[in-house]
């Protein structure tokens, strides 16, 4: 049987995502009451990291432990990947030993090759192209604070990176709109943008205009992992794209601010925005834990009848 994977946000239907949000809420409420819930006893998660991580590592490992299972952390340098073992062989081997795998890597093609040779579900913990676990937590966080995201406007300011592309996938599924403002040369890749119509994507040259009327303003680092050689060039190109009070003032009065973190105050976001009253970045980070516990439960156990 082919296992169910979560390699990109669009791998899940609206119905599956709504189910996951219901489970996230249920799991979070029990966790807050210190109630033990261990559907994954004797189950094992393997985590493969080819890039650095704080939140993804801690939320998956803590989440797996809280669900009664264990997590094994594999950093690339400590594995035989670093000595040339093919990713397909790694998939064949570890998927005979564990129940679910999370991978953070470079090109999406790498995780797809892994998944094609895995006997167990594979979760994308970030690739160059997508960050679906983060958007799971972000949409959940929006709904938790403001109710349904259907018909809302999300302003994406900065690099059209893995986070931006995953927001766009979510926009199609939940039917909201993303205003993207990126410096020249950093806009959404035309081949990717071609898959989105004006109901879900609108590009703006000016970031202040992109924020006008937005329900949520969000951004990310100017240089994603793997692109460090472009650091200086990007710092120059993105200079006018720091989310600041002027941009937030143009958004709706009750607009939220999100950032997947780690953040650089004074670069992509002003300190008074990320540390200000509209920011929900700490809830957003915490919800990685709860949303991924729901995801692990779903991928390993299937739907739980309530
Ligand atoms: N947001 C996020 O994925 O954080 P880490 O890189 O720390 O895992
Ligand atoms: N876009 C960033 C997100 C980090 C969580 C990166 O890929 O480095």
């Amino acid at each position: 049987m082919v296992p169910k994977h979560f390699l990109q946000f669009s791998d899940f239907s609206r119905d599956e995502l709504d189910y996951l949000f219901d489970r996230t809420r249920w799991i979070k409420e029990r966790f807050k009451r210190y109630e033990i819930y261990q559907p994954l006893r004797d189950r094992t998660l393997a985590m493969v990291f080819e890039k650095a991580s704080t939140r993804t590592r801690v939320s998956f490992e803590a989440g797996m432990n809280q669900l009664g299972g264990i997590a094994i952390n594999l950093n690339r340098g400590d594995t035989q990947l670093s000595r040339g073992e093919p990713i397909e062989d790694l998939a064949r081997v570890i998927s005979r030993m564990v129940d679910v795998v999370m991978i953070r890597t470079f090109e999406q093609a790498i995780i797809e090759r892994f998944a094609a040779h895995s006997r167990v579900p594979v979760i994308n913990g970030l690739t160059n192209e997508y960050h679906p676990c983060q958007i799971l937590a972000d949409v959940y966080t929006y709904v938790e604070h403001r109710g349904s995201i259907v018909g809302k406007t999300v302003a994406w300011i900065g690099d059209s990176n893995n986070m931006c592309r995953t927001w766009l996938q979510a926009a199609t599924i939940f039917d909201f709109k993303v205003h993207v403002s990126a410096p020249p040369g950093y806009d959404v890749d035309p081949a990717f943008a071609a898959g989105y119509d004006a109901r879900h994507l609108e590009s703006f040259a000016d970031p202040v205009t992109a924020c006008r009327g937005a329900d949520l303003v969000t951004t990310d680092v100017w240089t994603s992992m793997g692109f460090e050689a472009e650091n200086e060039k990007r710092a120059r190109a993105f200079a006018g794209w720091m989310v600041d009070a002027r941009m937030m003032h143009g958004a709706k009065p009750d607009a939220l601010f999100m950032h997947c973190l780690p953040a650089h105050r004074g670069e992509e976001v002003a300190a008074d925005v990320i540390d200000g009253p509209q920011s929900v970045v700490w809830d957003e980070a915490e919800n990685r834990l709860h949303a991924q516990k729901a995801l692990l439960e779903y991928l390993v156990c299937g739907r739980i009848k309530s």
Side-chain angles (χ1 to χ4, degrees):
M1 208 177 85
V2 180
K4 176 97 192 151
H5 303 300
F6 190 47
L7 305 183
Q8 45 185 297
F9 203 79
S10 56
D11 283 346
F12 281 10
S13 66
R14 172 73 193 271
D15 179 61
E16 284 176 302
L17 292 163
D18 285 345
Y19 167 79
L20 278 187
F21 288 162
D22 283 347
R23 293 303 299 164
T24 302
R25 195 171 304 111
W26 189 89
I27 286 169
K28 182 173 181 177
E29 280 169 10
R30 288 188 74 117
F31 178 74
K32 295 288 178 185
R33 295 198 299 263
Y34 298 97
E35 289 178 27
I36 292 171
Y37 177 59
Q38 299 191 323
L40 300 189
R41 267 191 310 276
D42 296 327
R43 303 301 191 121
T44 305
L45 165 72
M47 305 187 290
V48 180
F49 284 101
E50 298 208 77
K51 293 175 177 171
S53 170
T54 300
R55 279 144 288 269
T56 304
R57 161 94 199 262
V58 175
S59 54
F60 269 107
E61 185 162 344
M64 196 63 192
N65 289 336
Q66 289 159 17
L67 292 171
I70 64 154
I72 297 171
N73 187 51
L74 296 161
N75 288 321
R76 181 190 165 85
D78 305 329
T79 70
Q80 299 289 10
L81 279 178
S82 64
R83 298 178 62 251
E85 183 167 30
I87 196 86
E88 291 83 356
D89 291 358
L90 180 72
R92 289 182 179 106
V93 171
I94 66 175
S95 73
R96 285 178 180 232
M97 299 175 177
V98 304
D99 302 279
V100 54
V101 179
M102 189 286 306
I103 306 184
R104 168 168 286 196
T105 185
F106 293 89
E107 290 80 20
Q108 184 73 10
I110 299 173
I111 199 169
E112 282 169 5
R113 280 163 53 205
F114 186 102
H117 295 85
S118 173
R119 288 184 170 188
V120 301
V122 179
I123 298 169
N124 182 344
L126 182 146
T127 57
N128 291 352
E129 287 86 349
Y130 301 114
H131 197 0
C133 292
Q134 184 69 56
I135 299 301
L136 207 54
D138 291 7
V139 175
Y140 182 81
T141 304
Y142 184 87
V143 172
E144 203 174 40
H145 281 267
R146 294 285 182 264
S148 173
I149 198 166
V150 176
K152 305 288 186 195
T153 299
V154 174
W156 175 269
I157 307 302
D159 192 18
S160 307
N161 61 13
N162 43 11
M163 282 292 297
C164 175
R165 278 190 285 268
T166 314
W167 268 116
L168 284 168
Q169 290 197 329
T172 311
I173 298 171
F174 288 102
D175 200 16
F176 60 86
K177 186 166 181 183
V178 184
H179 286 182
V180 176
S181 180
Y186 295 93
D187 213 336
V188 185
D189 170 48
F192 187 80
Y196 296 87
D197 61 32
R199 285 178 305 149
H200 301 123
L201 167 63
E202 188 174 350
S203 294
F204 293 80
D206 173 25
V208 178
T209 315
C211 290
R212 236 171 249 156
D215 299 279
L216 167 64
V217 177
T218 184
T219 187
D220 188 11
V221 292
W222 291 340
T223 305
S224 286
M225 291 180 280
F227 297 85
E228 289 80 2
E230 300 173 16
N231 237 330
E232 286 179 20
K233 191 175 113 197
R234 284 170 170 268
R236 283 194 298 276
F238 284 82
W241 272 261
M242 176 173 72
V243 176
D244 57 13
R246 197 165 60 106
M247 293 188 199
M248 292 306 294
H249 281 144
K252 288 204 179 128
D254 69 343
L256 299 176
F257 173 78
M258 287 191 196
H259 189 311
C260 66
L261 307 175
H264 302 87
R265 289 167 178 78
E267 290 185 22
E268 74 274 8
V269 60
D272 61 348
V273 170
I274 194 169
D275 299 319
Q278 288 168 282
S279 172
V280 291
V281 296
W282 313 123
D283 291 342
E284 184 189 354
E286 179 190 326
N287 281 335
R288 290 288 302 276
L289 172 72
H290 310 301
Q292 288 163 194
K293 283 168 77 176
L295 175 66
L296 288 165
E297 178 197 60
Y298 177 56
L299 291 176
V300 176
C301 306
R303 286 200 189 219
I304 306 292
K305 292 192 181 64
S306 52

